[in-house]
mmCIF file of all heavy atoms in Angstrom:
data_model
loop_
_atom_site.group_PDB
_atom_site.id
_atom_site.type_symbol
_atom_site.label_atom_id
_atom_site.label_comp_id
_atom_site.label_asym_id
_atom_site.label_seq_id
_atom_site.Cartn_x
_atom_site.Cartn_y
_atom_site.Cartn_z
ATOM 1 N N GLU B 34 -19.239 12.446 -13.388
ATOM 2 C CA GLU B 34 -17.923 11.869 -13.926
ATOM 3 C C GLU B 34 -17.166 11.473 -12.646
ATOM 4 O O GLU B 34 -16.921 12.312 -11.747
ATOM 5 C CB GLU B 34 -17.129 12.892 -14.718
ATOM 6 C CG GLU B 34 -15.789 12.283 -15.209
ATOM 7 C CD GLU B 34 -14.994 13.327 -15.959
ATOM 8 O OE1 GLU B 34 -15.568 14.214 -16.494
ATOM 9 O OE2 GLU B 34 -13.644 13.083 -16.067
ATOM 10 N N ARG B 131 -31.031 7.528 14.943
ATOM 11 C CA ARG B 131 -32.084 6.618 15.472
ATOM 12 C C ARG B 131 -31.682 5.251 15.372
ATOM 13 O O ARG B 131 -30.705 4.984 14.655
ATOM 14 C CB ARG B 131 -33.404 6.878 14.650
ATOM 15 C CG ARG B 131 -33.196 6.688 13.099
ATOM 16 C CD ARG B 131 -34.432 6.935 12.333
ATOM 17 N NE ARG B 131 -34.190 6.897 10.890
ATOM 18 C CZ ARG B 131 -35.201 6.937 9.974
ATOM 19 N NH1 ARG B 131 -36.374 6.989 10.323
ATOM 20 N NH2 ARG B 131 -34.836 6.849 8.769
ATOM 21 N N ALA B 147 -40.713 -4.293 3.410
ATOM 22 C CA ALA B 147 -40.601 -3.106 4.167
ATOM 23 C C ALA B 147 -39.873 -2.008 3.386
ATOM 24 O O ALA B 147 -38.789 -2.219 2.762
ATOM 25 C CB ALA B 147 -39.895 -3.295 5.490
ATOM 26 N N GLU B 157 -35.147 1.625 -5.866
ATOM 27 C CA GLU B 157 -35.091 2.816 -6.747
ATOM 28 C C GLU B 157 -36.058 3.886 -6.296
ATOM 29 O O GLU B 157 -37.295 3.637 -5.994
ATOM 30 C CB GLU B 157 -35.382 2.447 -8.203
ATOM 31 C CG GLU B 157 -34.371 1.633 -8.806
ATOM 32 C CD GLU B 157 -33.015 2.495 -8.942
ATOM 33 O OE1 GLU B 157 -33.115 3.631 -9.353
ATOM 34 O OE2 GLU B 157 -32.070 1.866 -8.637
ATOM 35 N N ALA B 196 -26.514 -9.876 2.481
ATOM 36 C CA ALA B 196 -27.534 -9.345 3.370
ATOM 37 C C ALA B 196 -27.181 -8.052 4.027
ATOM 38 O O ALA B 196 -26.021 -7.652 3.893
ATOM 39 C CB ALA B 196 -27.936 -10.332 4.330
ATOM 40 N N LEU B 230 -20.710 -8.837 -12.641
ATOM 41 C CA LEU B 230 -19.313 -8.755 -12.194
ATOM 42 C C LEU B 230 -18.383 -9.599 -13.112
ATOM 43 O O LEU B 230 -17.361 -9.162 -13.506
ATOM 44 C CB LEU B 230 -19.197 -9.095 -10.793
ATOM 45 C CG LEU B 230 -19.726 -7.942 -9.835
ATOM 46 C CD1 LEU B 230 -19.763 -8.535 -8.306
ATOM 47 C CD2 LEU B 230 -18.852 -6.750 -9.844
ATOM 48 N N SER B 247 -27.076 -16.422 8.637
ATOM 49 C CA SER B 247 -28.412 -16.205 8.816
ATOM 50 C C SER B 247 -29.154 -15.982 7.476
ATOM 51 O O SER B 247 -30.354 -15.807 7.464
ATOM 52 C CB SER B 247 -28.701 -15.070 9.734
ATOM 53 O OG SER B 247 -28.524 -15.275 11.105
ATOM 54 N N LEU B 261 -27.718 -21.597 -2.909
ATOM 55 C CA LEU B 261 -27.259 -20.552 -3.705
ATOM 56 C C LEU B 261 -25.770 -20.692 -4.009
ATOM 57 O O LEU B 261 -25.327 -20.358 -5.172
ATOM 58 C CB LEU B 261 -27.390 -19.161 -2.914
ATOM 59 C CG LEU B 261 -26.876 -17.933 -3.649
ATOM 60 C CD1 LEU B 261 -27.649 -17.794 -4.959
ATOM 61 C CD2 LEU B 261 -27.113 -16.684 -2.749
ATOM 62 N N ALA B 299 -14.573 -21.636 -2.072
ATOM 63 C CA ALA B 299 -13.410 -21.720 -1.267
ATOM 64 C C ALA B 299 -13.741 -22.381 0.085
ATOM 65 O O ALA B 299 -14.729 -21.940 0.757
ATOM 66 C CB ALA B 299 -12.827 -20.267 -1.076
ATOM 67 N N PHE B 302 -13.243 -20.333 6.272
ATOM 68 C CA PHE B 302 -14.113 -20.180 7.280
ATOM 69 C C PHE B 302 -13.705 -18.968 8.124
ATOM 70 O O PHE B 302 -12.794 -18.923 8.995
ATOM 71 C CB PHE B 302 -14.182 -21.458 8.170
ATOM 72 C CG PHE B 302 -14.853 -22.610 7.437
ATOM 73 C CD1 PHE B 302 -14.015 -23.372 6.615
ATOM 74 C CD2 PHE B 302 -16.159 -22.927 7.599
ATOM 75 C CE1 PHE B 302 -14.652 -24.451 5.794
ATOM 76 C CE2 PHE B 302 -16.688 -23.940 6.884
ATOM 77 C CZ PHE B 302 -15.944 -24.684 6.058
ATOM 78 N N ALA B 310 -13.436 -18.212 26.502
ATOM 79 C CA ALA B 310 -13.709 -18.492 27.827
ATOM 80 C C ALA B 310 -15.228 -18.335 27.982
ATOM 81 O O ALA B 310 -15.811 -17.358 27.633
ATOM 82 C CB ALA B 310 -12.999 -17.474 28.726
ATOM 83 N N ILE B 373 -5.412 -14.057 12.462
ATOM 84 C CA ILE B 373 -6.067 -13.718 13.757
ATOM 85 C C ILE B 373 -5.958 -12.237 13.867
ATOM 86 O O ILE B 373 -4.832 -11.571 13.848
ATOM 87 C CB ILE B 373 -5.200 -14.354 14.908
ATOM 88 C CG1 ILE B 373 -5.257 -15.879 14.819
ATOM 89 C CG2 ILE B 373 -5.791 -13.893 16.224
ATOM 90 C CD1 ILE B 373 -4.422 -16.580 15.786
ATOM 91 N N LEU B 402 -3.416 -7.085 25.380
ATOM 92 C CA LEU B 402 -3.533 -6.933 23.858
ATOM 93 C C LEU B 402 -2.161 -7.275 23.273
ATOM 94 O O LEU B 402 -2.044 -7.909 22.235
ATOM 95 C CB LEU B 402 -3.992 -5.500 23.514
ATOM 96 C CG LEU B 402 -3.944 -5.181 22.022
ATOM 97 C CD1 LEU B 402 -4.949 -6.049 21.261
ATOM 98 C CD2 LEU B 402 -4.342 -3.692 21.851
ATOM 99 N N GLN B 407 1.161 -10.789 20.116
ATOM 100 C CA GLN B 407 2.442 -11.448 19.888
ATOM 101 C C GLN B 407 2.218 -12.953 19.647
ATOM 102 O O GLN B 407 2.809 -13.557 18.820
ATOM 103 C CB GLN B 407 3.410 -11.163 20.940
ATOM 104 C CG GLN B 407 4.810 -11.832 20.718
ATOM 105 C CD GLN B 407 5.794 -11.566 21.876
ATOM 106 O OE1 GLN B 407 5.474 -10.768 22.768
ATOM 107 N NE2 GLN B 407 6.943 -12.142 21.793
ATOM 108 N N GLN B 445 -7.020 -17.259 1.840
ATOM 109 C CA GLN B 445 -6.607 -16.043 2.170
ATOM 110 C C GLN B 445 -7.608 -14.952 1.489
ATOM 111 O O GLN B 445 -7.718 -14.943 0.342
ATOM 112 C CB GLN B 445 -5.219 -15.760 1.484
ATOM 113 C CG GLN B 445 -4.210 -16.579 2.068
ATOM 114 C CD GLN B 445 -2.832 -16.585 1.297
ATOM 115 O OE1 GLN B 445 -2.932 -16.628 0.073
ATOM 116 N NE2 GLN B 445 -1.705 -16.526 1.943
#
Side-chain angles (χ1 to χ4, degrees):
E34 180 182 340
R131 56 181 172 173
E157 288 298 316
L230 287 168
S247 283
L261 178 60
F302 293 81
I373 299 171
L402 175 61
Q407 181 179 355
Q445 298 168 318

